[in-house]
C-alpha cells in the first residue's frame, strides 16, 4: 500500500528560527493536504496542493508540492510559540480515494 | 462557524464491552469519516461513509466495527467487543466533497476511548 513518510519526527527550535517539514510518498500523488494538530487538539486543515510544482503561502507558512508530485514541504518562517503542534501531511494515492496521513512532525518552539 | 461535534469526550470501558461513539457532522456535508489516533501516533483512517453506505474502509475496520447514520444528523461508530488495543482517540470528520478530491476534512474534537 501507499507509504507516506515525514521527516523530521521532532523538531525543537528557538522562537524566531525557521522550520521545515518534509513529506515523501512512495507513489505519485493526485493531491496533498496539510493539517496542524495543537497539543490535546484535533487536526485542522491548513492547505491543499494539487498541481506539480505548486507553491502556496499563508502568512509565514509556505507550502510546496514537488515537480514529480511525490513530495511536499511546509516551511515556517520566524516561528512563534503559537506554531507549536504536530504537522501532518495527508495524501490520496488516487483521485477519489481517502487520505492517508503521514506520521507527523512535532514542532516545539522555545521562547 | 459550523463544527463537527462528538460525544462522549471520554469513555472508559471494560474489555469485551460494546461502545458507541457519536458524531454530528456539519449539516451540509455529504461525506463522513472516522479516524483514530493512538496516543502520540499518527492519524489512522478507519472508514468513510457516503449516501448511507460505507464507501471505503481500512484494514483496521474489521467485523468488530460498524457505522451507522440512524437519523439525519448523527453518525455513529460502534465497537462490538472492545479490546485493549482499541484504546485511542477517535476522530469523526466530515467534508463537503470527497476528501480524496478537493474536499478538506473538518474534524471533531475527538472521543477518547480507554479500554481496561
Amino acid at each position: 500500500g501507499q507509504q507516506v513518510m515525514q521527516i523530521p519526527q521532532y523538531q525543537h527550535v528557538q522562537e524566531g528560527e525557521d522550520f521545515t517539514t518534509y513529506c515523501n510518498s512512495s507513489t505519485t500523488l493526485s493531491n496533498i493536504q496539510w493539517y496542524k494538530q495543537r497539543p490535546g487538539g484535533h487536526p485542522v486543515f491548513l492547505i491543499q496542493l494539487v498541481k506539480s510544482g505548486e507553491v502556496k503561502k499563508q502568512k509565514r507558512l509556505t507550502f510546496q508540492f514537488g515537480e514529480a508530485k511525490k513530495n511536499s514541504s511546509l516551511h515556517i518562517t520566524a516561528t512563534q510559540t503559537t506554531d507549536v503542534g504536530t504537522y501532518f501531511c495527508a495524501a490520496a494515492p488516487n483521485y477519489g480515494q481517502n487520505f492517508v496521513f503521514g506520521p507527523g512532525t512535532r514542532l516545539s518552539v522555545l521562547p | 462557524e459550523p463544527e463537527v461535534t462528538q460525544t462522549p469526550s471520554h469513555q472508559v470501558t471494560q474489555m469485551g464491552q460494546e461502545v458507541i461513539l457519536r458524531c454530528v457532522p456539519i449539516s451540509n456535508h455529504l461525506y463522513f469519516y472516522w479516524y483514530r489516533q493512538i496516543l502520540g501516533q499518527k492519524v489512522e483512517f478507519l472508514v468513510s461513509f457516503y449516501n448511507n453506505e460505507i464507501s471505503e474502509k481500512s484494514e483496521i475496520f474489521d467485523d468488530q466495527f460498524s457505522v451507522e447514520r440512524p437519523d439525519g444528523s448523527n453518525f455513529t461508530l460502534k465497537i462490538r467487543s472492545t479490546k485493549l488495543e482499541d484504546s485511542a482517540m477517535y476522530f469523526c470528520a466530515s467534508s463537503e466533497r470527497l476528501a480524496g478530491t478537493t474536499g478538506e476534512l473538518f474534524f471533531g474534537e475527538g472521543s477518547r476511548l480507554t479500554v481496561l
Side-chain angles (χ1 to χ4, degrees), chain B:
Chain B
E1 185 177 319
E3 58 182 18
V4 176
T5 58
Q6 289 186 242
T7 55
S9 57
H10 189 193
Q11 175 139 11
V12 181
T13 190
Q14 293 290 325
M15 190 170 57
Q17 295 295 306
E18 177 183 282
V19 161
I20 297 176
L21 305 178
R22 292 180 168 79
C23 169
V24 179
I26 294 173
S27 61
N28 65 329
H29 285 185
L30 301 176
Y31 299 87
F32 315 120
Y33 314 83
W34 284 100
Y35 285 82
R36 79 171 186 191
Q37 186 177 37
I38 296 170
L39 186 63
Q41 298 186 24
K42 69 175 182 180
V43 179
E44 298 176 296
F45 170 74
L46 293 179
V47 66
S48 60
F49 192 87
Y50 169 72
N51 200 26
N52 284 319
E53 62 182 23
I54 291 173
S55 51
E56 190 176 343
K57 61 182 180 180
S58 72
E59 294 174 352
I60 302 169
F61 194 88
D62 61 21
D63 292 343
Q64 292 299 312
F65 291 88
S66 62
V67 289
E68 194 177 31
R69 189 156 163 84
D71 52 44
S73 60
N74 289 286
F75 179 50
T76 62
L77 174 69
K78 181 192 289 186
I79 309 175
R80 286 192 185 82
S81 178
T82 50
K83 303 187 283 284
L84 295 176
E85 54 265 37
D86 293 328
S87 294
M89 181 71 88
Y90 288 81
F91 289 108
C92 174
S94 68
S95 65
E96 199 172 354
R97 293 175 293 277
L98 180 60
T101 59
T102 57
E104 68 178 84
L105 294 167
F106 289 81
F107 284 86
E109 295 194 354
S111 294
R112 180 167 297 284
L113 175 65
T114 302
V115 182
L116 303 176

Side-chain angles (χ1 to χ4, degrees), chain A residues 79-100:
Chain A
T79 53
Q80 300 174 358
T81 54
T82 52
D83 295 325
V84 164
T86 301
Y87 292 85
F88 293 98
C89 61
N94 294 297
Y95 192 81
Q97 284 188 294
N98 285 287
F99 280 114
V100 173

